[in-house]
Amino acid sequence: MRKLFFYFFVATSLFVDAQIKDTLPNFNDEYFLVRDGDSLMIKLNEVSVLPKHKFKSRIDVNYYYWFKKKVFKAYPYAVLASKRIDSLNARLGRIESKSKKRKYVKRVQKYLEEELTDQIKKMTKTEGRLLIKLIHRQTGKTVFQNIKELRSGWKAFWYNTTANIFSLSLKDEYHPETENEDYLVEDVLQRAFIDETLESQVPKLNIDSYQILESRKGEVNVETYKEMFAKLRKKRKRKKKKKKK
């Protein structure tokens, strides 16, 4: 990334130097000419440089890209949820009647269910867990807290109880500074924002992303997922043996 930025800077400078011989720059543009010093100052867009990844093996690279796909699938739904909740809260602030507020919440909930349910049903357990954490990142509140505020504590309790059956918790929070999985999510997101392969939406949580990523110096730890797949492979072998018997 550093080399790419350097080459871009040099190439741009040479191009502008060649053009200056023919025409003077427009001083309303984002550059200016220091004529006495015979030098050109150019204002470039800020380029964020993240630490280069440090993988232990080629297998770890594969697991990282597997994980990246999971984040790419879950993140857009978290962004959508954040937008819908913001819109909902803004609208509710203008409605005085409690009964009308309830009707409006139900209408939005039905819309979200129709819009998202079919897609979310296709998510794996890992994708579902990431979505829960990303909703906390984008909205500043856990899924449990959002349901409790928009519906009721009773509804939130039962939704969370159902989620627990699938080894998920709607109370999960996003802590990239301490949790390895959340750190990996933040790593994937920040690199995707730089590449413009994902829509960047400012999170409601106060996260110092670059400090978090710098602190790990590009380290990638995917041992949890390697262990997870090792267990799955063992289960499949056991099932095959039972079928043979």
Side-chain angles (χ1 to χ4, degrees), residues 1-221:
M1 180 64 74
R2 291 180 186 275
K3 287 184 178 179
L4 180 61
F5 175 78
F6 174 75
Y7 292 142
F8 173 74
F9 177 79
V10 172
T12 307
S13 299
L14 290 174
F15 173 77
V16 177
D17 280 337
Q19 295 301 305
I20 280 193
K21 294 176 182 178
D22 297 320
T23 59
L24 286 174
N26 180 351
F27 290 95
N28 293 323
D29 291 341
E30 291 187 341
Y31 58 81
F32 59 90
L33 185 66
V34 183
R35 300 182 67 179
D36 293 337
D38 193 28
S39 61
L40 182 69
M41 303 298 294
I42 307 170
K43 183 177 179 181
L44 298 173
N45 292 329
E46 182 178 346
V47 177
S48 301
V49 180
L50 298 177
K52 184 178 180 181
H53 281 143
K54 294 178 182 178
F55 295 104
K56 295 178 182 178
S57 67
R58 178 64 194 175
I59 293 175
D60 285 20
V61 177
N62 293 337
Y63 275 99
Y64 176 82
Y65 281 100
W66 165 84
F67 184 79
K68 180 179 177 180
K69 288 181 180 179
K70 303 294 183 185
V71 176
F72 269 54
K73 187 171 182 179
Y75 177 74
Y77 294 109
V79 170
L80 179 61
S82 179
K83 290 179 178 178
R84 293 289 183 266
I85 290 172
D86 286 345
S87 177
L88 174 61
N89 287 331
R91 174 65 176 162
L92 288 176
R94 296 192 293 268
I95 301 175
E96 296 181 0
S97 169
K98 289 185 178 181
S99 61
K100 288 183 178 180
K101 283 185 177 182
R102 284 195 294 269
K103 288 180 181 179
Y104 182 69
V105 170
K106 287 182 179 180
R107 194 169 75 216
V108 172
Q109 182 191 17
K110 183 179 179 182
Y111 169 74
L112 283 172
E113 287 176 352
E114 291 174 352
E115 187 175 26
L116 297 177
T117 299
D118 289 342
Q119 293 298 324
I120 292 175
K121 280 181 179 178
K122 298 174 184 177
M123 285 187 173
T124 64
K125 187 188 294 184
T126 299
E127 291 161 354
R129 183 174 66 253
L130 294 180
L131 176 59
I132 290 170
K133 291 186 175 187
L134 284 168
I135 286 176
H136 182 227
R137 181 187 191 274
Q138 298 310 123
T139 67
K141 298 175 183 177
T142 64
V143 173
F144 184 89
Q145 290 169 331
N146 278 306
I147 295 173
K148 186 177 180 180
E149 289 184 9
L150 297 176
R151 296 299 303 276
S152 67
W154 185 245
K155 285 281 186 181
F157 170 77
W158 280 112
Y159 283 145
N160 193 50
T161 301
T162 303
N164 289 340
I165 296 173
F166 301 98
S167 301
L168 297 174
S169 173
L170 302 185
K171 295 182 180 181
D172 277 353
E173 297 182 354
Y174 187 71
H175 295 290
E177 69 282 359
T178 56
E179 298 294 326
N180 181 63
E181 181 170 73
D182 300 353
Y183 159 79
L184 291 176
V185 171
E186 197 63 30
D187 180 82
V188 169
L189 291 180
Q190 294 305 322
R191 294 176 192 276
F193 297 156
I194 292 172
D195 296 338
E196 297 183 351
T197 50
L198 280 180
E199 173 191 358
S200 179
Q201 182 194 58
V202 178
K204 296 292 194 304
L205 285 184
N206 185 18
I207 303 170
D208 191 340
S209 302
Y210 292 101
Q211 184 178 353
I212 292 169
L213 298 183
E214 283 286 347
S215 67
R216 295 281 289 268
K217 298 179 180 179
E219 175 195 349
V220 177
N221 183 345

